[in-house]
Amino acid sequence: MNQPNPPGTIAPHIPADVYQRAQATGQPVVFVVNDRPPASIEWRRLLLPFAIAGATVAGGWGLVAALCFLMDAAVHTFTVIAGAAGPIGVGGITLKLARGKSH
């Protein structure tokens, strides 16, 4: 396997002197590949899904809190307006929307 040029993209980690010596002497170049997966859990692979899930949960709770606040403000506003307006009548039916303060 005598090639005139180093392999380039095939194995860019071979030093030039080792490659040239192998070409000159005809020695084979041995590649050692460690393809065994690590024995422990790679925490970096789990970090991104947990970060996304945590952000989703926090955003969901924030949305619920914001909706509760807006509903509370809307109900309070409706109560104040209804108390100031007094009873409302439509077609002979009269509704009192808010009770007055009775001491």
Side-chain angles (χ1 to χ4, degrees), residues 73-97:
V75 168
H76 180 70
T77 303
F78 176 76
T79 306
V80 169
I81 292 172
I88 296 177
V90 176
I93 299 174
T94 303
L95 298 173
K96 186 168 182 171
L97 299 177

Side-chain angles (χ1 to χ4, degrees), residues 41-100:
I41 297 174
E42 291 184 33
W43 294 106
R44 287 180 293 180
R45 291 185 62 198
L46 296 175
L47 181 64
L48 185 62
F50 276 113
I52 291 172
T56 302
V57 168
W61 279 111
L63 183 63
V64 168
L67 287 175
C68 288
F69 177 76
L70 288 174
M71 290 298 291
D72 182 54
V75 168
H76 180 70
T77 303
F78 176 76
T79 306
V80 169
I81 292 172
I88 296 177
V90 176
I93 299 174
T94 303
L95 298 173
K96 186 168 182 171
L97 299 177
R99 293 183 185 172

